[in-house]
Tab-separated table of all heavy atoms in Angstrom:
chain	number	residue	atom	x	y	z
A	1	ILE	N	128.318	78.213	150.491
A	1	ILE	CA	128.786	79.507	151.009
A	1	ILE	C	130.041	79.329	151.843
A	1	ILE	O	131.035	80.050	151.682
A	1	ILE	CB	127.664	80.195	151.823
A	1	ILE	CG1	126.553	80.689	150.894
A	1	ILE	CG2	128.216	81.362	152.647
A	1	ILE	CD1	125.311	81.176	151.617
A	2	LEU	N	130.029	78.336	152.725
A	2	LEU	CA	131.191	78.124	153.593
A	2	LEU	C	132.387	77.582	152.815
A	2	LEU	O	133.534	77.765	153.230
A	2	LEU	CB	130.819	77.174	154.732
A	2	LEU	CG	129.859	77.755	155.766
A	2	LEU	CD1	129.447	76.706	156.787
A	2	LEU	CD2	130.477	78.960	156.474
A	3	ALA	N	132.126	76.929	151.677
A	3	ALA	CA	133.225	76.416	150.844
A	3	ALA	C	133.697	77.447	149.821
A	3	ALA	O	134.645	77.176	149.069
A	3	ALA	CB	132.773	75.145	150.129
A	4	GLY	N	133.036	78.592	149.768
A	4	GLY	CA	133.402	79.610	148.795
A	4	GLY	C	132.996	79.257	147.378
A	4	GLY	O	133.565	79.770	146.406
A	5	GLU	N	132.003	78.385	147.245
A	5	GLU	CA	131.542	77.954	145.929
A	5	GLU	C	130.247	78.679	145.548
A	5	GLU	O	129.506	79.134	146.426
A	5	GLU	CB	131.293	76.451	145.939
A	5	GLU	CG	132.536	75.626	146.252
A	5	GLU	CD	132.226	74.160	146.446
A	5	GLU	OE1	131.018	73.804	146.424
A	5	GLU	OE2	133.170	73.368	146.646
A	6	PRO	N	129.954	78.778	144.263
A	6	PRO	CA	128.715	79.452	143.844
A	6	PRO	C	127.481	78.657	144.281
A	6	PRO	O	127.501	77.430	144.339
A	6	PRO	CB	128.827	79.487	142.314
A	6	PRO	CG	130.254	79.238	142.007
A	6	PRO	CD	130.784	78.378	143.119
A	7	ILE	N	126.415	79.366	144.581
A	7	ILE	CA	125.122	78.728	144.833
A	7	ILE	C	124.228	78.977	143.620
A	7	ILE	O	124.245	80.059	143.034
A	7	ILE	CB	124.452	79.247	146.120
A	7	ILE	CG1	124.155	80.744	146.036
A	7	ILE	CG2	125.309	78.946	147.337
A	7	ILE	CD1	123.352	81.282	147.206
A	8	ARG	N	123.479	77.956	143.231
A	8	ARG	CA	122.564	78.113	142.099
A	8	ARG	C	121.268	78.753	142.598
A	8	ARG	O	120.604	78.220	143.495
A	8	ARG	CB	122.277	76.754	141.454
A	8	ARG	CG	123.482	76.161	140.751
A	8	ARG	CD	123.079	75.010	139.843
A	8	ARG	NE	122.429	73.938	140.580
A	8	ARG	CZ	121.770	72.938	139.996
A	8	ARG	NH1	121.628	72.902	138.671
A	8	ARG	NH2	121.227	71.982	140.733
A	9	VAL	N	120.931	79.890	142.015
A	9	VAL	CA	119.743	80.642	142.413
A	9	VAL	C	118.798	80.666	141.215
A	9	VAL	O	119.065	81.342	140.214
A	9	VAL	CB	120.117	82.073	142.856
A	9	VAL	CG1	118.877	82.837	143.295
A	9	VAL	CG2	121.155	82.033	143.977
A	10	PHE	N	117.697	79.919	141.337
A	10	PHE	CA	116.815	79.736	140.190
A	10	PHE	C	115.886	80.928	139.980
A	10	PHE	O	115.612	81.709	140.898
A	10	PHE	CB	116.012	78.448	140.355
A	10	PHE	CG	116.885	77.214	140.324
A	10	PHE	CD1	117.083	76.448	141.466
A	10	PHE	CD2	117.543	76.849	139.159
A	10	PHE	CE1	117.896	75.333	141.433
A	10	PHE	CE2	118.361	75.727	139.116
A	10	PHE	CZ	118.543	74.965	140.260
A	11	ASN	N	115.401	81.025	138.748
A	11	ASN	CA	114.551	82.132	138.316
A	11	ASN	C	115.209	83.479	138.612
A	11	ASN	O	114.535	84.464	138.920
A	11	ASN	CB	113.158	82.059	138.962
A	11	ASN	CG	112.126	82.870	138.199
A	11	ASN	OD1	112.178	82.962	136.978
A	11	ASN	ND2	111.181	83.456	138.926
A	12	HIS	N	116.538	83.489	138.557
A	12	HIS	CA	117.334	84.706	138.781
A	12	HIS	C	117.008	85.366	140.120
A	12	HIS	O	117.081	86.581	140.265
A	12	HIS	CB	117.127	85.693	137.622
A	12	HIS	CG	117.421	85.086	136.276
A	12	HIS	ND1	118.709	84.901	135.810
A	12	HIS	CD2	116.596	84.580	135.318
A	12	HIS	CE1	118.665	84.321	134.619
A	12	HIS	NE2	117.397	84.111	134.299
A	13	GLY	N	116.636	84.534	141.080
A	13	GLY	CA	116.346	85.023	142.423
A	13	GLY	C	114.933	85.515	142.629
A	13	GLY	O	114.554	85.868	143.755
A	14	GLN	N	114.144	85.548	141.558
A	14	GLN	CA	112.773	86.057	141.671
A	14	GLN	C	111.839	84.943	142.125
A	14	GLN	O	110.895	84.551	141.430
A	14	GLN	CB	112.327	86.654	140.337
A	14	GLN	CG	113.195	87.793	139.844
A	14	GLN	CD	113.365	88.879	140.891
A	14	GLN	OE1	112.369	89.444	141.376
A	14	GLN	NE2	114.600	89.193	141.251
A	15	MET	N	112.126	84.431	143.301
A	15	MET	CA	111.340	83.365	143.911
A	15	MET	C	110.907	83.819	145.302
A	15	MET	O	111.613	84.585	145.967
A	15	MET	CB	112.171	82.085	144.036
A	15	MET	CG	112.797	81.597	142.752
A	15	MET	SD	111.649	80.661	141.760
A	15	MET	CE	111.805	79.056	142.525
A	16	GLN	N	109.778	83.316	145.730
A	16	GLN	CA	109.258	83.637	147.059
A	16	GLN	C	108.757	82.349	147.699
A	16	GLN	O	108.030	81.581	147.069
A	16	GLN	CB	108.120	84.647	146.933
A	16	GLN	CG	107.516	85.097	148.250
A	16	GLN	CD	106.478	86.180	148.037
A	16	GLN	OE1	106.798	87.340	147.909
A	16	GLN	NE2	105.215	85.785	147.969
A	17	ARG	N	109.193	82.115	148.940
A	17	ARG	CA	108.794	80.901	149.636
A	17	ARG	C	108.306	81.230	151.046
A	17	ARG	O	108.831	82.132	151.706
A	17	ARG	CB	109.964	79.912	149.735
A	17	ARG	CG	110.359	79.248	148.420
A	17	ARG	CD	109.287	78.282	147.967
A	17	ARG	NE	109.650	77.605	146.726
A	17	ARG	CZ	109.363	78.047	145.509
A	17	ARG	NH1	108.730	79.212	145.366
A	17	ARG	NH2	109.698	77.345	144.444
A	18	ASP	N	107.330	80.443	151.497
A	18	ASP	CA	106.824	80.574	152.858
A	18	ASP	C	107.653	79.633	153.740
A	18	ASP	O	107.204	78.561	154.135
A	18	ASP	CB	105.340	80.207	152.895
A	18	ASP	CG	104.629	80.831	154.084
A	18	ASP	OD1	105.329	81.236	155.029
A	18	ASP	OD2	103.397	80.920	154.058
A	19	PHE	N	108.903	80.039	154.026
A	19	PHE	CA	109.814	79.214	154.818
A	19	PHE	C	109.224	78.999	156.210
A	19	PHE	O	108.882	79.960	156.914
A	19	PHE	CB	111.181	79.896	154.938
A	19	PHE	CG	111.945	79.951	153.645
A	19	PHE	CD1	111.963	81.111	152.882
A	19	PHE	CD2	112.647	78.843	153.192
A	19	PHE	CE1	112.681	81.171	151.685
A	19	PHE	CE2	113.358	78.889	152.001
A	19	PHE	CZ	113.376	80.059	151.241
A	20	THR	N	109.137	77.725	156.620
A	20	THR	CA	108.494	77.375	157.887
A	20	THR	C	109.466	76.564	158.736
A	20	THR	O	109.972	75.524	158.307
A	20	THR	CB	107.209	76.573	157.643
A	20	THR	OG1	106.403	77.255	156.678
A	20	THR	CG2	106.420	76.409	158.932
A	21	TYR	N	109.720	77.042	159.950
A	21	TYR	CA	110.721	76.439	160.820
A	21	TYR	C	110.240	75.097	161.353
A	21	TYR	O	109.051	74.921	161.652
A	21	TYR	CB	111.029	77.392	161.978
A	21	TYR	CG	112.205	76.972	162.827
A	21	TYR	CD1	113.472	76.835	162.275
A	21	TYR	CD2	112.043	76.722	164.192
A	21	TYR	CE1	114.554	76.456	163.053
A	21	TYR	CE2	113.118	76.348	164.978
A	21	TYR	CZ	114.373	76.214	164.398
A	21	TYR	OH	115.445	75.828	165.181
A	22	ILE	N	111.155	74.169	161.496
A	22	ILE	CA	110.819	72.794	161.853
A	22	ILE	C	110.024	72.694	163.152
A	22	ILE	O	109.082	71.899	163.251
A	22	ILE	CB	112.101	71.919	161.928
A	22	ILE	CG1	111.767	70.460	162.261
A	22	ILE	CG2	113.119	72.505	162.886
A	22	ILE	CD1	110.935	69.742	161.245
A	23	ASP	N	110.354	73.477	164.166
A	23	ASP	CA	109.627	73.384	165.438
A	23	ASP	C	108.150	73.737	165.262
A	23	ASP	O	107.279	73.165	165.936
A	23	ASP	CB	110.257	74.299	166.491
A	23	ASP	CG	111.604	73.795	166.975
A	23	ASP	OD1	112.064	72.747	166.471
A	23	ASP	OD2	112.213	74.449	167.850
A	24	ASP	N	107.859	74.694	164.371
A	24	ASP	CA	106.466	75.052	164.108
A	24	ASP	C	105.731	73.925	163.387
A	24	ASP	O	104.563	73.644	163.671
A	24	ASP	CB	106.405	76.334	163.269
A	24	ASP	CG	106.758	77.583	164.060
A	24	ASP	OD1	106.569	77.579	165.289
A	24	ASP	OD2	107.228	78.558	163.448
A	25	ILE	N	106.426	73.277	162.471
A	25	ILE	CA	105.822	72.134	161.777
A	25	ILE	C	105.488	71.031	162.780
A	25	ILE	O	104.384	70.463	162.767
A	25	ILE	CB	106.776	71.602	160.692
A	25	ILE	CG1	106.925	72.611	159.550
A	25	ILE	CG2	106.318	70.242	160.185
A	25	ILE	CD1	105.701	72.765	158.687
A	26	VAL	N	106.424	70.719	163.662
A	26	VAL	CA	106.216	69.660	164.657
A	26	VAL	C	105.031	69.996	165.556
A	26	VAL	O	104.174	69.135	165.833
A	26	VAL	CB	107.493	69.446	165.488
A	26	VAL	CG1	107.224	68.523	166.669
A	26	VAL	CG2	108.607	68.884	164.608
A	27	GLN	N	104.967	71.238	165.994
A	27	GLN	CA	103.854	71.657	166.845
A	27	GLN	C	102.518	71.463	166.132
A	27	GLN	O	101.538	70.958	166.705
A	27	GLN	CB	104.023	73.118	167.229
A	27	GLN	CG	102.974	73.659	168.170
A	27	GLN	CD	103.142	73.174	169.591
A	27	GLN	OE1	102.188	72.683	170.194
A	27	GLN	NE2	104.328	73.301	170.142
């Protein structure tokens, strides 16, 4: 994004993830 280059988005963006922040994992 910062380089102005395309990002590869798999399954045409129809993905769902339970993103978990590192501090919560450590705890």
Side-chain angles (χ1 to χ4, degrees):
I1 289 171
L2 290 175
E5 299 172 355
I7 62 173
R8 292 194 300 167
V9 181
F10 295 111
N11 200 35
H12 305 282
Q14 301 307 303
M15 306 278 277
Q16 182 175 277
R17 289 290 181 270
D18 203 342
F19 291 100
T20 310
Y21 189 60
I22 182 63
D23 289 2
D24 287 334
I25 292 290
V26 171
Q27 183 74 231

